[in-house]
Amino acid sequence: MAEEVCTPRQVVIMKDPSSIPTAVAMAGLTLPLVAKPLVVDGTSKSHELSLAYDEASLSMLDPPLVLQEFVNHGGILFKVYIIGEAIQVVRRFSVPDVNTYDLLNNVGIYRLPRVSCAAASADHADLDPSIAELPPRPLLEKLSRELRGRLGLRLFNIDMIRELGGNDRYYIIDINYFPGYGKMPGYEHIFTDFLQSLGQHKYKRSLSGG
């Protein structure tokens, strides 16, 4: 079966927390929802995530933010670093799956710990192979080419998850421009090669008068 790449259903809320329940209903989103700050400015607050379990708690959130349907994914996230045409993937521990008990018993807003940071590395953890398996290389190469062309970027990273039991259905949950490459293993050599290739390309263009 061919892999499928999509994004969770989501809605952007700019202001007025009291409007959130109506906006969520109109967008047809299913609880629980992940709440993410709309503006990421490097502060610790800009990386705070919350999980909203019930409609009544939605108006307690603090816009501007993005509300995204939560997808069970085995608690593992794939950070895909892209530097030019080079691709590097690392595993990170993520938000645990939500089960039926959670849905029936949890209410309110749950502040989530910082996920996907370098300290949450899962590369050497003892994981179920079906959860730990990295996304196929051809899929990542095709995806990075498409995003480079559409976004006009050559330095970015993608946060991806694989739906638990989803038959190779992947979700892109975030894209970051010029992320912290210091968290990527071997970034020094990859970044140096990228800069050298840029210099060589510029030099060749100058020789051809381009």
Side-chain angles (χ1 to χ4, degrees):
M1 180 178 178
E3 299 85 9
E4 178 184 359
V5 179
C6 47
T7 59
R9 293 192 298 175
Q10 57 191 357
V11 64
V12 175
I13 306 294
M14 296 303 299
K15 54 185 179 179
D16 188 9
S18 65
S19 70
I20 297 178
T22 300
V24 166
M26 290 182 64
L29 302 188
T30 301
L31 294 162
L33 299 174
V34 179
K36 304 179 179 183
L38 187 61
V39 178
V40 177
D41 56 10
T43 63
S44 58
K45 184 175 177 59
S46 69
H47 292 282
E48 289 181 355
L49 300 180
S50 302
L51 196 59
Y53 275 96
D54 63 294
E55 182 180 341
S57 65
L58 293 175
S59 57
M60 298 165 56
L61 294 168
D62 185 21
L65 51 79
V66 178
L67 289 174
Q68 199 172 71
E69 283 187 335
F70 182 79
V71 177
N72 279 339
H73 54 285
I76 294 295
L77 175 147
F78 304 106
K79 292 194 79 72
V80 184
Y81 291 95
I82 296 167
I83 303 178
E85 296 185 4
I87 302 170
Q88 186 90 341
V89 188
V90 295
R91 299 179 192 86
R92 294 283 188 262
F93 285 112
S94 179
V95 182
D97 291 338
V98 173
N99 57 35
T100 303
Y101 178 87
D102 296 326
L103 293 174
L104 293 175
N105 293 276
N106 292 346
V107 294
I109 305 293
Y110 284 69
R111 304 295 177 187
L112 301 174
R114 179 78 181 271
V115 298
S116 81
C117 60
S121 175
D123 281 329
H124 303 294
D126 184 16
L127 301 170
D128 182 327
S130 66
I131 293 174
E133 182 182 6
L134 296 176
R137 193 75 184 182
L139 174 69
L140 295 179
E141 291 173 350
K142 182 177 180 180
L143 181 61
S144 64
R145 281 196 304 270
E146 185 74 18
L147 290 175
R148 281 199 305 266
R150 291 186 179 225
L151 301 175
L153 299 176
R154 302 190 69 184
L155 298 170
F156 60 101
N157 92 289
I158 309 163
D159 288 348
M160 294 180 68
I161 57 176
R162 181 194 294 113
E163 183 177 6
L164 191 67
N167 296 321
D168 288 329
R169 181 182 296 113
Y170 295 87
Y171 287 85
I172 295 177
I173 59 173
D174 210 352
I175 298 177
N176 302 293
Y177 168 61
F178 204 79
Y181 284 107
K183 308 168 191 172
M184 185 185 82
Y187 79 94
E188 301 97 333
H189 301 296
I190 298 175
F191 208 84
T192 299
D193 290 344
F194 170 69
L195 294 177
Q196 287 179 336
S197 69
L198 285 183
Q200 292 170 357
H201 179 70
K202 188 174 181 179
Y203 177 68
K204 290 177 181 179
R205 287 189 61 186
S206 67
L207 291 179
S208 63

